[in-house]
Amino acid sequence: MRGFIFDLDGTVYLGDRLIEGAAEAIRTLRARGDKVVFLSNKPIATRQSYAEKLTKMGIPTTVDDVLNSSLITARYLQRVMQPGERVLVIGEQPIRDELAAHGIVMSDDPHDVQYVVLSWDRQFSYGMLNALYQAAVRGAKVIASNPDRTCPLEDGQIPDTGAFIGALEGATGRPVDLVVGKPSPIAAEAAVCHLGLDYASCYMVGDRLETDIKMGNDTGMNSVLVLTGISTREMAERSEYRPRYILNSIKEIVNI
């Protein structure tokens, strides 16, 4: 039995378009007894919405089949926060709802928080940046949901959480304290534990060298780059994050 950890955007679909052969490939893996989980860094949608989207695209999926950076962030904070501690959140409603569901207490006061969750927010403003800065310089630990600079769409890319990380780091002059989404070992552990397999039996399949492939390589998984999203074959050949396999698309995963 092998485990397959699939990124979503750029790997299984692009925007609202399913990548050709994706449904058939995943159906084949499941039918032969392999385990499948979907792992997304994208925090602006709920796990339920991902499950519904995949199911409508012909890939039957339950919410338990989906892990995302919002869930991983919430679980991490649930482990490390002490009673009475609060979090300032820069992010959209899905990550706020996930944090609330895990009992995380949130506050909009940057002077009265011990943690900051920095995530993707399409209404990001100077006021948000200032709140981030004030909390960070007062000692709040900054936890980023994911490091992605951009998110791929059918017609190009748009700025993602990495752009906001860059803004905060430019203001403070120091890196954020922790990133919990891919390529963090925290995200890798969440996926592998979900599958119930060891790292060597798992395949991390994605379109980004600096997140999907790096995480696979760092943790001893089999890294698989698909060429339907951000990274190209030429980029892979030049990169320090060299995938074990390079596929034209997810449809070829059944041949590994």
Side-chain angles (χ1 to χ4, degrees), residues 71-247:
L71 175 67
I72 296 167
T73 301
R75 286 178 175 174
Y76 174 80
L77 288 172
Q78 196 176 50
R79 290 198 304 270
V80 302
M81 288 181 66
Q82 300 299 312
E85 291 187 325
R86 294 178 172 80
V87 180
L88 172 71
V89 180
I90 302 298
E92 298 189 13
Q93 200 60 44
I95 193 168
R96 292 175 178 273
D97 290 344
E98 193 72 70
L99 293 172
H102 283 76
I104 307 302
V105 179
M106 291 169 272
S107 171
D108 293 328
D109 184 356
H111 303 87
D112 186 35
V113 295
Q114 292 71 45
Y115 290 88
V116 172
V117 167
L118 175 52
S119 189
W120 188 2
D121 194 320
R122 288 168 291 183
Q123 303 302 314
F124 192 75
S125 66
Y126 183 83
M128 291 180 181
L129 176 59
N130 184 46
L132 275 171
Y133 175 80
Q134 299 302 331
V137 297
R138 285 169 170 77
K141 188 173 184 179
V142 180
I143 312 298
S145 61
N146 61 297
D148 305 65
R149 293 187 295 273
T150 61
C151 178
L153 299 176
E154 277 192 82
D155 56 353
Q157 303 177 50
I158 55 176
D160 202 326
T161 306
F164 311 142
I165 294 173
L168 178 61
E169 290 180 345
T172 63
R174 62 176 187 263
V176 298
D177 294 287
L178 182 68
V179 177
V180 297
K182 298 176 292 183
S184 166
I186 298 171
E189 182 181 19
V192 170
C193 287
H194 180 87
L195 293 171
L197 299 170
D198 58 40
Y199 285 90
S201 300
C202 294
Y203 292 73
M204 179 62 230
V205 187
D207 68 309
R208 285 184 182 268
L209 294 165
E210 70 276 15
T211 55
D212 304 310
I213 302 309
K214 182 179 188 304
M215 187 181 79
N217 291 348
D218 287 351
T219 57
M221 290 190 274
N222 300 280
S223 58
V224 184
L225 178 70
V226 292
L227 303 177
T228 47
I230 296 292
S231 302
T232 65
R233 188 179 298 272
E234 293 72 26
M235 291 166 64
E237 291 171 351
R238 297 193 307 266
S239 176
E240 62 181 302
Y241 312 122
R242 301 292 294 271
R244 181 170 182 181
Y245 302 97
I246 300 178
L247 306 180

Side-chain angles (χ1 to χ4, degrees), residues 26-79:
I26 292 169
R27 187 182 310 124
T28 298
L29 295 179
R30 286 170 166 169
R32 72 188 191 191
D34 292 326
K35 292 185 174 183
V36 171
V37 67
F38 301 101
L39 175 60
S40 176
N41 266 0
K42 191 174 179 181
I44 61 171
T46 65
R47 294 164 62 223
Q48 182 64 42
S49 69
Y50 284 127
E52 291 172 358
K53 179 175 183 174
L54 287 165
T55 300
K56 288 178 182 177
M57 287 180 162
I59 304 172
T61 305
T62 69
V63 68
D64 290 334
D65 296 324
V66 181
L67 304 175
N68 69 352
S69 58
S70 300
L71 175 67
I72 296 167
T73 301
R75 286 178 175 174
Y76 174 80
L77 288 172
Q78 196 176 50
R79 290 198 304 270

